[in-house]
Amino acid sequence: MENHRFVLVGVGGQGTLLASHLLAEIGLSLGLDVKKAEIHGMSQRGGSVVSNVVWGKPVFSPVVGEGEADTLIAFEKLETLRYLPLLKPSGAIFVNDHEIEPITVSAGKQIYPNNADIEATLHKFTTKVFWIPANQIAEDLGSARVANTVMIGVVLKGLGVELDYGVRTLEKTIQSRYLELNLRALKAGYDWLAISNHKG
């Protein structure tokens, strides 16, 4: 297969790095070569977190340049806008409908964009936009902390990857006390895209 380049973005504490690890492990379980790179300065203080994952045969570099990403996975809406230039024109965006105000907004110096403006901007880059209520789905399961796993479930369905690859990856990656909840989150995300009639 040609290389498939993912960019995962979020804010510190959202599980962006765990999600990128899961995605890398799923790629390996598919028999692909995988490379991964992370940038997470200030992540523990609510700063931006970005990770690149590349699947292929073979992969020589995990670096995803401007206009190269096949899939942009965003765990926070504003972070989606920040990394849009990395997406290729035919790429897909999976964005969690979740808002974390940056300091400039909470201090009253800037205004957080509304959903209509964000969606309009995303659609200027691609028609493949999946707007996902991942935090709400996760909260309905018992904890917003598994919103990242919900997102991975949606992405697997969107890519046409069988759910079992994600299940097996979680079973060998997630601690046993958190496994059952994460498995439900993965399936909930996978099922959400299957039944949502999403036109992304």
Side-chain angles (χ1 to χ4, degrees), residues 13-102:
Q14 288 194 285
T16 306
L17 299 182
L18 174 59
S20 68
H21 178 66
L22 293 174
L23 198 56
E25 289 291 330
I26 291 167
L28 290 171
S29 73
L30 289 166
L32 301 171
D33 189 20
V34 175
K35 296 284 188 299
K36 179 168 69 97
E38 303 167 349
I39 300 171
H40 44 95
M42 304 293 286
S43 61
Q44 293 182 342
R45 297 183 182 180
S48 183
V49 180
V50 59
S51 180
N52 297 342
V53 177
V54 183
W55 292 355
K57 284 187 174 181
V59 177
F60 296 106
S61 170
V63 177
V64 179
E66 189 168 319
E68 292 183 345
D70 298 279
T71 301
L72 174 60
I73 304 169
F75 299 96
E76 199 280 332
K77 293 183 289 190
L78 209 52
E79 292 301 305
T80 320
L81 300 179
R82 189 194 307 267
Y83 292 96
L84 268 178
L86 295 178
L87 190 71
K88 65 169 51 172
S90 60
I93 301 171
F94 294 83
V95 54
N96 180 13
D97 177 17
H98 183 63
E99 181 175 315
I100 298 175
E101 290 187 351

